[in-house]
Amino acid sequence: YMWFVFKTSRVERYGFHPDVCRKYFGEGVFGLWHDEVFFVAWMHRIWRGSTLASRGDSGEVIARMLKLCNFTVFRGGSSSGHKRRNVGVVGEIIEHIQETPGTQFGITVDGSKGPVYRMKRGVPLIARATGKPALVQRSWCKRYVCLPTWDKTLVPLPFNHIVSFYEGPFLP
């Protein structure tokens, strides 16, 4: 489906997208809002990125989609209240980035549970621990369907205009 959407749509990219980031910095930690996961999976498939997906049922669907798009997927979760779940996954991610040259790591900054558009500390923590630049991505499209999820996930429609903006780098 996403192949068809991108094949029939006008796609524009502005800023330090993964090609530019890899050229100048080697690696990067990209942050995006959770409602944009459908854009990023297909759009970033050629860079064979790495990412985090939650352990729940919806995380399983996303993880399968990401794996089809050449991503290395770590399974874990975000924090819930004051209790940390899956603390070890952050260490695995940091180790993976440090040991794998050219790694582009992407993570939803508002986590797998929200609240929507409220940034959690994952991107700055991982960027600081690895010494890699942090970048943010925002994607937009003219025509889409909103899923009935906590974040109103956007599913772009075919014959569209899709734009991705990349800001940064923010050096740790």
Side-chain angles (χ1 to χ4, degrees), residues 32-96:
L32 62 135
W33 297 123
H34 197 273
D35 64 351
E36 299 173 12
V37 293
F38 281 99
F39 292 97
V40 175
W42 183 260
M43 192 178 294
H44 289 225
R45 75 196 181 288
I46 61 173
W47 294 294
R48 299 185 178 272
S50 300
T51 192
L52 175 66
S54 68
R55 292 194 183 275
D57 292 341
S58 61
E60 182 62 32
V61 171
I62 295 295
R64 286 182 185 183
M65 180 178 69
L66 289 163
K67 286 177 183 176
L68 285 172
C69 292
N70 302 316
F71 278 76
T72 299
V73 181
F74 292 85
R75 298 301 299 273
S78 60
S79 24
S80 181
H82 294 290
K83 292 165 45 172
R84 295 286 299 162
R85 297 179 316 172
N86 307 309
V87 176
V89 76
V90 173
E92 291 175 29
I93 291 166
I94 291 167
E95 186 177 318
H96 172 74

Side-chain angles (χ1 to χ4, degrees), residues 20 28 34 43 68 88 98 104 113 125 131 135-136 149 155:
V20 176
H34 197 273
M43 192 178 294
L68 285 172
Q98 290 172 331
Q104 303 287 348
K113 290 186 171 192
L125 182 128
L135 299 101
V136 292
T149 57
V155 179

